[in-house]
Amino acid sequence: MKDDSDIFRGPLGEMAQAEADAVGLDPADLYVAAISWWSTAITPAVSMWPWPEAPMAVWASVARSNGPEEEPLDRVLSRLLDAVGPLAVRRNVTDGKQFGAAAHAIRRADNVGTGTPVYLLTGSPFTSGHSGSVISTSLERQIRMAWDGRHTLPTRGVGRYRGTKRPVPPHVGALWDVTIPDWQGFLSTDAATHSRVLHFARRAAPVVLPVDSTSSTWRDALEVAYVWTFNTRPVLTYTKRAALQWDAVRAAQSEWGDALPELHAGFFVRVGDHVSRIAGTLAATECTAIHSAHIQTAWALARRAILDTSHLAAMDRSAVDQLVRELDNRLGSVPAPEGVPSVLPNESRQEHRRSTGRDPHGEGPQADSSAVRKLKQWYQDRCQICDTVLVLPPPRHRSSEAAHIRAREDGGPDVVENLLCLCPNCHTRFDAGALVLTDDLMIFDVVTGNPERKITRHRWHFIDPQYVRHHRHRWTPNAPAPRASAPSMLAPDGQDPDVSLTPLPDPH
């Protein structure tokens, strides 16, 4: 049987190995939690072929002993990852009503531009019942649908959607940190619920030490990856060997139902889905397609969860070990050729959004005003060029204008990729060609001939370079060249070299 030495990969694996001692955790525990966190953070932007509508989030439960109190995993991750992969964290959501309230709070924050439509369920989903720890029926239904990406909730407030149901963006993750007695509650839930979660036994040390890391290599790599995912919104595909290996995992999981008792087999009916989500998360941190190495690493992590689950549920270990060993051998016997890596970047999604009129952030049909509204919500009416907020008397309070980079009369579309949030002065100067942008989004004053600074850019605001070039070449045929250090906003390999995004100042 293989050990856990092959589970660490990419910047998340580097982070787990570099930071585990400082936070008093087993590296594998920290790695598991980091994958759950990161997959949730990027799920609005990344999808996988052949089911691009399915969420990417990897759900995990980590069972700990009743020993000394250990720091919750989500708090450790908040210190390590929130700066590069921000999440809203919700603790101890234990019924459908609380789940709905959390979803509505996140949606409101996204609508006013103060948050992202992503949150992580933490703490414990269990409540005490007559027969032990249980998950409420209402919560069970909601988390199943959230994992599948099909959940709906009643819409609150006024307007034409009052009293109806609208899809809630399926951007929900779960990192449950529970005691072993509470974990036994999974044994009493339907397989449709507990099979959506990877279950681990926590091996953490009880002592928590201050974080004192001198290396930022993993942090820099994750910052690049986060910007890349939200700028390109990739649809990840598999290399040939990776696809064959994933098929082997799915074929094996279908056989396990006959080899294990029904209660125990239910934990593993979605192993193939878990492997694909983990592999996709790891590939996204490396800004590439899903390779054989990603599948092998994902399976190594799933294998660890299978063995931990068999221990927690007191299964027949000999049967489980044999099944795992057989799948290890199958994956190793898959033919070696990788084939050509495939990543479908923003071009395909971009054309799809324009042709269907869908908002790229999941907010429904996008009319002209929808793109403008989303833009102004992101920036809270603050000018991207001069950082001015134009304050007016009530009831309007603030004012800003959406400027087309490629003008409408020149065929510029009404999409956020072709819009800037500007004050009236900067809008007039930009439309008249007094201000242009270089490829790396430096503001260039044509009147004085001087470069100024980079525009302010929200982390989700992808500005299409082709529109920037069209505007610049229209007004200045001898346009300023981009800086040598950043020859293009979007490099040929799909990575965005402009990873140091200017933070948005508080509009208040």
Side-chain angles (χ1 to χ4, degrees), residues 418-442:
N418 188 43
L419 293 175
L420 296 174
C421 181
L422 302 180
C423 68
N425 283 345
C426 290
H427 190 177
T428 300
R429 297 175 70 198
F430 187 80
D431 281 355
L435 297 175
V436 296
L437 300 176
T438 62
D439 279 6
D440 58 353
L441 301 184
M442 286 289 293

Side-chain angles (χ1 to χ4, degrees), residues 68-80:
E69 187 65 26
E70 298 160 316
E71 184 176 20
L73 293 170
D74 64 279
R75 292 182 184 173
V76 175
L77 292 171
S78 293
R79 297 198 303 268
L80 294 173

Side-chain angles (χ1 to χ4, degrees), residues 66 100 183-184 191 236 241 253 265 272 335 352 405 432 502:
N66 287 323
W183 187 91
Q184 300 299 322
L236 302 177
R241 190 181 188 210
Q253 80 177 21
H352 174 72
I405 302 171
T502 306

